[in-house]
Amino acid sequence: MKKTITRLVAAAVAAASLGLVLPSAGAADSGAKTVKIMPLGDSITDGYWEQGGYRKYLSYTMAQKGYTNIDFVGPKGSDTETFTYNGKEVSYDGNYAGYSGYAIQKMNGAEPRNGILETLSEGDYIKVYSPDIVLLQIGTNDVISSYNEGAAERLENLINYILTEGTPDEQVFVTTIPDMDAVTAADWFWSYGEVKWGSTKEEFAAVIQGYVDAYNASVEKVVKKMQSEGKNVLLGDIHSVVDVSTDLYDGVHPNEAGYEKMGLYWAEVLDGYLSSLNGTEPSTGEITEKDYEVADVVALASHLLGRKQERITAANYQKYDLTADGKLNVFDLILLRRKLFS
């Protein structure tokens, strides 16, 4: 299926802040290179409870932004699938590599789990599908099954495998995982044994929250370490998007609202990334909000990618919290871009 870019929108992240390029990322014309994206991970990537998960919102939103050269790839799904969005049946590219119940790598402990690392290796999927971009979200099942020790090392091994088997310019986005409601999903965590049975649900939920927080911190450390080694790895932060109180179906997996937020988040991240690769600058149209400038868009987008920004401090945090929900996320970025470039 031939795909081209018909339009590139304003860059949310400057190329200089990323320092990374994809092969043959050229101008927006009929000869532009197809960009292959592999959504990779566990049941949240698979779309547990909600067919297509976040992927359908990501694919559809990128098409709405004008990207027609994007090809989602993987051993599962099909090129054209449909879902109902805002009352209309719309199409999306449904190929992906998501596996319900899988951990970072095969585990044979109290609760055996298949591994993403072994699955990729057995199918040689990175070489077969040759993605330009991998969106990796993994680790939720490691926490559920009490495989917390060594998770950072396993994650780094998995990322290194993806990079080694891929093209030299392949880019891997590695994201944090959402919080889990261990009170609602208490039965999922039986592998913790006495730690679980000897605690109240609330006490045990605090234990699980500690493991989620520790894992997410390790994701950031792994990404920074690999970046320092010159590897094509960037940090995503799905944790900042999914609200544990409103966006989960069963205490672990997102509901439709949660998946939509995830899809919109990745669309903004990829929009900024792909625009920067093509040297596209934000619109120079009249700025309607005097308190903001183009550099604020770049700073906020970089912040959401996990890169510390001097512009965003504790003193001016509220300035960037346009949704006034007490945290910075992709929806603040969307509103800021609208203020500047609408």
Side-chain angles (χ1 to χ4, degrees), residues 1-282:
M1 174 172 15
K2 185 176 181 180
K3 301 180 179 180
T4 60
I5 293 180
T6 59
R7 178 176 63 87
L8 284 174
V9 294
V13 184
S17 70
L18 293 171
L20 298 166
V21 296
L22 287 175
S24 305
D29 58 30
S30 60
K33 177 187 180 293
T34 295
V35 178
K36 293 184 289 185
I37 299 175
M38 176 183 282
L40 174 65
D42 50 35
S43 56
I44 297 179
T45 296
D46 192 19
Y48 201 84
W49 294 117
E50 307 291 350
Q51 184 176 357
Y54 79 82
R55 299 176 286 102
K56 59 179 181 279
Y57 295 107
L58 169 58
S59 174
Y60 176 71
T61 301
M62 293 301 284
Q64 292 301 108
K65 286 177 175 290
Y67 290 91
T68 57
N69 73 319
I70 290 177
D71 185 14
F72 286 83
V73 299
K76 303 179 74 174
S78 58
D79 285 343
T80 303
E81 300 182 20
T82 61
F83 74 110
T84 301
Y85 194 28
N86 296 327
K88 297 180 180 180
E89 185 176 80
V90 299
S91 298
Y92 69 99
D93 187 340
N95 295 123
Y96 70 107
Y99 301 88
S100 293
Y102 281 43
I104 299 169
Q105 67 181 50
K106 185 177 178 63
M107 306 298 290
N108 296 309
E111 188 172 12
R113 297 268 186 184
N114 288 322
I116 291 295
L117 176 59
E118 290 77 9
T119 299
L120 290 176
S121 177
E122 290 166 6
D124 206 16
Y125 290 144
I126 298 300
K127 286 186 177 178
V128 169
Y129 295 100
S130 190
D132 298 301
I133 297 173
V134 175
L135 304 179
L136 175 62
Q137 180 173 328
I138 194 66
T140 291
N141 290 314
D142 293 74
V143 174
I144 289 175
S145 296
S146 192
Y147 295 134
N148 299 294
E149 186 176 352
E153 290 76 13
R154 296 194 300 274
L155 179 63
E156 186 172 354
N157 288 340
L158 172 58
I159 300 168
N160 274 323
Y161 173 83
I162 295 169
L163 291 171
T164 299
E165 297 299 307
T167 66
D169 296 299
E170 177 190 48
Q171 179 66 58
V172 181
F173 284 84
V174 187
T175 181
T176 54
I177 61 174
D179 286 333
M180 292 177 264
D181 181 354
V183 172
T184 298
D187 292 343
W188 293 58
F189 298 91
W190 62 268
S191 295
Y192 284 83
E194 288 301 318
V195 175
K196 178 179 186 297
W197 308 123
S199 307
T200 66
K201 286 185 176 182
E202 290 73 19
E203 290 170 341
F204 183 65
V207 171
I208 296 303
Q209 185 63 55
Y211 283 124
V212 171
D213 292 342
Y215 178 76
N216 284 339
S218 71
V219 171
E220 182 173 356
K221 289 180 181 178
V222 167
V223 169
K224 288 183 177 179
K225 174 180 180 291
M226 300 185 82
Q227 287 176 339
S228 71
E229 296 168 347
K231 296 177 180 178
N232 290 0
V233 184
L234 287 171
L235 180 68
D237 190 17
I238 286 298
H239 179 268
S240 71
V241 176
V242 180
D243 189 325
V244 68
S245 64
T246 60
D247 296 332
L248 298 182
Y249 185 95
D250 55 8
V252 173
H253 301 93
N255 55 28
E256 202 66 77
Y259 282 128
E260 181 181 21
K261 288 181 179 180
M262 291 176 64
L264 293 176
Y265 171 84
W266 280 124
E268 287 298 313
V269 169
L270 291 175
D271 181 18
Y273 176 68
L274 293 172
S275 297
S276 70
L277 294 178
N278 287 274
T280 308
E281 295 296 331

Side-chain angles (χ1 to χ4, degrees), residues 283 285-288 335-342:
S283 167
E286 181 181 358
I287 295 177
T288 57
L335 289 176
L336 179 55
R337 289 176 65 169
R338 286 177 181 171
K339 282 180 178 291
L340 289 172
F341 310 127
S342 60

